[in-house]
């Protein structure tokens, strides 16, 4: 199954809306993505044809078990990347959120698994917090004014 990054974003947002509001609606998705309702309906038709959602015209959008599983995997990846960006790379909350959303679709399982292993290592290592503190001092002082 070939799910585009945009469709992955829809699955993830539907999952979050269902967790927060218990329902997801076309107008809420349109507001969130800042698109018109017909664009949302087109995306939902694709997701429905893949068996990832149930949606009746003018009804609520509901993830199927398969859709929920995929959406949860995407969302977990998002949370992991955001955590990594914030806690390891010392990126601020808003940038970490935005960057995690952008890169969650493109990383291999190997990379994700290695980030998980790294985060687990970081949590249990005695020296690691000292190394991070040193790294943060370097970032905060922006030595030599070098930026990409």
């Amino acid at each position: 199954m070939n799910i585009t990054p945009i469709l992955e974003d829809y699955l993830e947002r539907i999952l979050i809306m269902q967790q927060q509001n218990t329902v997801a609606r076309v107008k809420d998705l349109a507001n969130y993505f800042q698109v018109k309702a017909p664009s949302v309906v087109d995306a939902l038709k694709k997701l429905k044809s893949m068996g990832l959602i149930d949606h009746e015209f003018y009804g609520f959008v509901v993830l199927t078990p398969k859709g929920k599983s995929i959406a949860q995997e995407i969302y977990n990846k998002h949370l992991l990347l955001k955590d990594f960006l914030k806690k390891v790379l010392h990126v601020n909350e808003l940038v970490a959120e935005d960057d995690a959303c952008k890169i969650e679709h493109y990383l291999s399982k190997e990379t994700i698994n290695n980030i998980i292993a790294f985060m687990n290592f970081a949590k249990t290592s005695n020296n690691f917090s000292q190394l991070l503190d040193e790294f943060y001092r370097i970032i905060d002082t922006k030595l030599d004014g070098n930026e990409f």
Side-chain angles (χ1 to χ4, degrees):
M1 177 178 322
N2 188 15
I3 304 172
T4 66
I6 291 170
L7 294 180
E8 286 184 353
D9 284 341
Y10 273 93
L11 286 173
E12 183 180 20
R13 180 50 40 192
I14 294 165
L15 176 73
I16 293 167
M17 286 179 171
Q18 286 181 333
Q19 290 173 342
Q20 292 175 344
N21 308 322
T22 67
V23 296
R25 299 177 299 189
V26 170
K27 75 176 188 173
D28 297 328
L29 290 165
N31 287 337
Y32 178 82
F33 289 112
Q34 298 179 351
V35 297
K36 297 199 182 290
S39 297
V40 173
V41 171
D42 286 344
L44 296 180
K45 283 179 185 176
K46 291 174 186 172
L47 291 170
K48 186 173 181 176
S49 73
M50 294 178 195
L52 302 177
I53 65 161
D54 288 322
H55 176 244
E56 297 301 322
F57 201 64
Y58 291 110
F60 297 129
V61 181
V62 179
L63 293 168
T64 64
K66 181 179 175 182
K68 185 173 183 176
S69 174
I70 293 170
Q72 192 65 59
E73 184 177 318
I74 295 163
Y75 187 54
N76 290 346
K77 209 183 309 184
H78 177 93
L79 294 175
L80 170 73
L81 291 167
K82 181 179 172 184
D83 198 37
F84 176 78
L85 293 169
K86 283 176 46 182
K87 291 182 178 173
V88 176
L89 299 184
H90 205 53
V91 174
N92 79 53
E93 176 87 20
L94 293 175
V95 173
E97 176 70 30
D98 188 50
D99 285 352
C101 194
K102 290 175 184 172
I103 63 177
E104 67 194 16
H105 309 290
Y106 301 104
L107 295 180
S108 68
K109 285 194 183 278
E110 179 182 2
T111 299
I112 292 295
N113 288 336
N114 286 353
I115 291 172
I116 292 168
F118 180 83
M119 293 296 284
N120 288 335
F121 168 77
K123 289 175 187 172
T124 60
S125 174
N126 294 334
N127 284 7
F128 196 75
S129 63
Q130 292 172 329
L131 288 171
L132 280 180
D133 288 343
E134 178 75 21
F135 176 63
Y136 297 157
R137 275 193 293 283
I138 292 168
I139 290 174
D140 290 341
T141 58
K142 297 187 185 208
L143 292 177
D144 300 328
N146 290 331
E147 293 188 37
F148 292 100

